[in-house]
Amino acid sequence: MLHRMKLILCFCIILCTSSNKADDNEPPLTKLSTKTGPTLKFFYCYSCGYRKVFEEYVSILQQKYPELKIDGENYIPSKNKILFAKSFCFLKIALLVLIISGFDFAELGEPSSLWQWCINNRFYSCIMIFFTFNTIEGYFMSSGAFEIHFNDVPVWSKLETGRIPQLFELFQIIESHLNMQYPDVNIV
């Protein structure tokens, strides 16, 4: 029993210390891109399937505006949503470890009938926990975002409008911004 508790404690410590530090190292958006040419940046919800829409828009926009630099990346949800998703991930892993190890709560008191079922049906309970918690984590990590920035200035937000822009709307937005920033250049 003591060996199992040490194993679980070590596993929890390793899980807690291996947090993702990449979010803290991201460079801030700058206004430098306005001096190097027009850029269009898309922030989309990858888990919502908006990457395909982004790729379709890029192929069309590059044909119409070859001078336009187009980038895209996954929209990062709020810190609270990320914290909830990581908490559910930790809880999922802890439950799976407890079930696989056969941890018996009888030593701590009367175990529930649900826990006994999970111990008796380890395979099914682990699969149910895995898929249920993955669904919950996915809910917290999906933002539904499709944000568009022209030279680091927000020009469209699906979070505010509730929809993705039509191509003609996007063309109008790009042309109006190009006309404002480069009035002496004739845009086709």
Side-chain angles (χ1 to χ4, degrees):
M1 175 65 190
L2 185 60
H3 179 68
R4 283 187 194 164
M5 291 304 290
K6 286 181 183 178
L7 178 66
I8 292 170
L9 181 62
C10 289
F11 183 73
C12 292
I13 290 171
I14 290 170
L15 186 64
C16 290
T17 58
S18 65
S19 66
N20 187 1
K21 302 284 184 187
D23 296 339
D24 299 335
N25 297 331
E26 287 186 24
L29 293 176
T30 64
K31 298 296 180 185
L32 179 63
S33 63
T34 58
K35 294 179 178 66
T36 60
T39 60
L40 196 63
K41 183 110 181 188
F42 289 82
F43 298 94
Y44 52 85
C45 177
Y46 184 81
S47 61
C48 298
Y50 292 142
R51 181 180 176 95
K52 185 173 172 94
V53 176
F54 161 72
E55 290 170 351
E56 290 173 4
Y57 278 24
V58 167
S59 65
I60 294 168
L61 289 171
Q62 284 178 337
Q63 291 175 0
K64 184 165 173 103
Y65 305 102
E67 73 282 355
L68 194 62
K69 181 180 178 235
I70 304 171
D71 291 321
E73 64 184 53
N74 187 32
Y75 182 85
I76 307 296
S78 70
K79 299 278 185 195
N80 289 340
K81 284 188 168 189
I82 292 173
L83 179 65
F84 281 128
K86 285 184 179 182
S87 299
F88 276 101
C89 180
F90 174 74
L91 183 60
K92 171 183 69 178
I93 292 172
L95 282 172
L96 292 175
V97 166
L98 289 173
I99 290 171
I100 291 171
S101 68
F103 184 76
D104 190 12
F105 283 108
E107 298 167 4
L108 303 175
E110 184 66 29
S112 71
S113 59
L114 176 63
W115 184 254
Q116 281 304 114
W117 183 88
C118 289
I119 296 297
N120 293 338
N121 300 295
R122 288 184 181 150
F123 181 75
Y124 295 119
S125 61
C126 286
I127 287 177
M128 282 185 359
I129 288 171
F130 181 79
F131 286 118
T132 303
F133 277 74
N134 276 355
T135 302
I136 295 169
E137 290 170 41
Y139 168 76
F140 283 114
M141 291 305 292
S142 64
S143 61
F146 195 82
E147 314 297 295
I148 304 172
H149 294 204
F150 187 87
N151 286 343
D152 299 329
V153 177
V155 295
W156 188 274
S157 173
K158 180 186 175 289
L159 297 176
E160 291 177 10
T161 62
R163 63 184 184 88
I164 295 175
Q166 298 294 321
L167 274 174
F168 73 90
E169 292 173 313
L170 192 54
F171 293 155
Q172 288 175 345
I173 291 169
I174 292 170
E175 289 175 8
S176 67
H177 278 77
L178 285 173
N179 285 333
M180 283 190 300
Q181 291 186 350
Y182 307 101
D184 53 343
V185 178
N186 187 15
I187 299 169
V188 179

